[in-house]
Amino acid sequence: MATEARGNMRDQQKELTRQRLKEAALQCFVELGYQSTSVSDITSAAGATRATFYRHYKSKAELVEACLDELDETYRESFAELSGLLADPDQESLRTWLSDAFAMWRKTRDVSVIVGEAASAERDIELRRQRSFEFETNRIADALTRGPGRPPEQAMLLAELLFTQLRGTFEVWARRDSDLDLDQAAGVMAAMWWAALSATTDLVRHTAS
């Protein structure tokens, strides 16, 4: 029992140290930028040594990948919900989902911007981020093939357009000088999505008849 307790305490301490390093790194990335931040900047902000950093992370890039894993986990349930409602959507449900998603953006803005900045400098992070985008796009496309029975090619095109608009809206809003009103954007985008979904549904029904 004592050995197990000591093991649990070590695991907890390890996780606390990783979290402290991650929080310090995010602070540095926000203040200095990803590329301008050194491991020494991170360890100084965390009150740790470089040896401690490298016991937990191989590099800055690996630390950002851990942040990306957390982002994926944060948004997994939200996109699962979107996939569910896209099988039989209505405009108000789309607006509600977008409003909820934008609320999550406000909480994860800095981390998302840092991941994007790191992706422009680190190919492995860019590839990892693209896999996340492709996973969610494919999940949306699968949902769009249900309901009115859209052809897979049409569903994928529509999914890519919806997801691209979502990404573009985030990128505009996330700029420091942006005055984009997300509450208004939710209503506008819901109307646009609903129009696109309704038009393709009508096309499928017309083709079938």
Side-chain angles (χ1 to χ4, degrees):
M1 291 291 291
T3 301
E4 182 179 349
R6 285 195 296 272
N8 289 337
M9 289 179 64
R10 283 195 297 270
D11 290 343
Q12 291 173 9
Q13 185 60 46
K14 180 179 179 180
E15 184 55 36
L16 286 172
T17 301
R18 285 176 62 87
Q19 188 62 31
R20 189 170 83 252
L21 289 167
K22 192 184 305 176
E23 290 174 356
L26 293 175
Q27 176 186 337
C28 291
F29 294 153
V30 169
E31 294 176 356
L32 305 174
Y34 174 80
Q35 289 184 283
S36 297
T37 296
S38 67
V39 170
S40 294
D41 291 326
I42 296 169
T43 55
S44 177
T49 65
R50 288 172 59 87
T52 298
F53 179 91
Y54 287 113
R55 275 200 299 271
H56 295 276
Y57 299 104
K58 295 178 182 177
S59 62
K60 292 190 304 179
E62 186 178 78
L63 186 150
V64 172
E65 287 190 59
C67 293
L68 181 50
D69 288 340
E70 291 181 0
L71 277 178
D72 283 348
E73 187 64 30
T74 297
Y75 283 97
R76 182 171 290 113
E77 184 176 344
S78 177
F79 276 100
E81 181 184 348
L82 175 62
S83 297
L85 72 87
L86 284 175
D88 185 23
D90 60 76
Q91 185 170 334
E92 183 57 28
S93 295
L94 293 171
R95 189 199 64 76
T96 298
W97 183 87
L98 286 164
S99 294
D100 291 344
F102 293 167
M104 295 173 70
W105 284 7
R106 294 183 176 96
K107 295 178 181 178
T108 62
R109 178 194 177 282
D110 285 347
V111 178
S112 297
V113 169
I114 288 163
V115 168
E117 184 181 341
S120 68
E122 308 280 0
R123 178 167 172 75
D124 287 346
I125 295 176
E126 175 60 19
L127 292 174
R128 168 70 178 76
R129 189 172 70 148
Q130 286 301 324
R131 287 196 298 272
S132 294
F133 291 159
E134 289 170 6
F135 176 81
E136 298 302 351
T137 302
N138 288 334
R139 184 153 62 164
I140 291 171
D142 288 342
L144 291 171
T145 60
R146 301 194 295 270
R150 293 181 181 85
E153 298 82 3
Q154 184 190 81
M156 179 54 73
L157 174 60
L158 187 55
E160 289 174 344
L161 291 173
L162 297 182
F163 194 84
T164 299
Q165 186 186 47
L166 199 60
R167 281 186 62 187
T169 301
F170 174 83
E171 289 169 2
V172 171
W173 169 77
R175 294 201 304 256
R176 292 293 181 185
D177 60 349
S178 175
D179 59 358
L180 180 65
D181 187 320
L182 286 180
D183 293 330
Q184 291 183 7
V188 172
M189 287 179 64
M192 294 172 67
W193 285 19
W194 177 240
L197 293 167
S198 298
T200 53
T201 298
D202 291 343
L203 178 62
V204 169
R205 289 171 178 166
H206 177 74
T207 302
S209 63

